[in-house]
Amino acid sequence: MLGHAASSATLDAVLTTNTGCLVDLRKLKTLIDLVSESNISELEIAESEGTVRIVKAGAVAPAAVAAPAAVVMAAPPPAASEPAAAAAVEPAAEAGHRVTSPMVGTFYRAATPGGKPFVDVGSQVKEGDKLCIIEAMKILNEIEADHAGVVKAVLANDGQAVEYGQPLFVIE
């Protein structure tokens, strides 16, 4: 709900909303950084001075999204190459059963950073075995095998953001 900027001399310090209230740009930048570094897609804060809404790229954005959302929408180029790398693995992976992500979150192959992965390519798994962890909203969710067999492919990278329904593993 942001309107026009105050005078160019104060542009780095405040922004005027459509109701005439001032918003501290340092606060706004901090909020934008928090949204861009987290798994949330939208943040709306209402204070006595007004309301600020920040929507992350790829989220369904309401018509009232302002210029700060454009800054958040600028995705780093490596993120675009990660799905391409996963897509390169997927054609060979079509031969087996795919285990997909049941939620949006961050994919982890091990219980601790740098720890031994729950499974590797070639690992024998049975139904109910832990395959990975997906962190969503600071909650660690263990993802279990829903099919017995041998892990033929790991389709996500450690620490990568994953979407609902995104293939994570191929089990034959």
Side-chain angles (χ1 to χ4, degrees):
M1 303 272 224
L2 298 175
H4 63 284
S7 72
S8 60
T10 60
L11 182 61
D12 62 330
V14 294
L15 193 66
T16 305
T17 65
N18 59 355
T19 59
C21 298
L22 299 179
V23 176
D24 183 353
L25 286 183
R26 289 178 301 267
K27 235 189 211 182
L28 190 58
K29 182 181 179 341
T30 302
L31 292 173
I32 291 170
D33 291 343
L34 286 171
V35 170
S36 67
E37 294 170 3
S38 70
N39 291 328
I40 62 173
S41 60
E42 182 177 329
L43 174 68
E44 184 172 349
I45 296 181
E47 293 182 342
S48 60
E49 301 90 34
T51 301
V52 175
R53 178 178 291 186
I54 302 169
V55 179
K56 189 184 279 191
V60 178
V65 175
V71 174
V72 176
M73 289 182 182
S81 66
E82 288 174 15
V89 176
E90 287 183 47
E94 290 180 15
H97 172 76
R98 289 184 177 198
V99 176
T100 59
S101 176
M103 66 192 73
V104 174
T106 304
F107 173 86
Y108 296 107
R109 293 188 61 196
T112 59
K116 182 180 182 295
F118 292 112
V119 295
D120 286 311
V121 173
S123 295
Q124 181 74 35
V125 295
K126 58 185 186 280
E127 261 185 68
D129 283 355
K130 264 189 260 183
L131 298 174
C132 65
I133 293 175
I134 296 182
E135 178 186 359
M137 298 182 67
K138 302 296 180 195
I139 297 175
L140 302 176
N141 302 282
E142 295 177 349
I143 307 305
E144 298 176 348
D146 57 353
H147 187 74
V150 177
V151 177
K152 292 295 180 185
V154 179
L155 304 175
N157 296 322
D158 199 41
Q160 174 185 345
V162 294
E163 297 293 324
Y164 172 80
Q166 178 177 338
L168 303 174
F169 297 93
V170 176
I171 300 175
E172 275 187 356

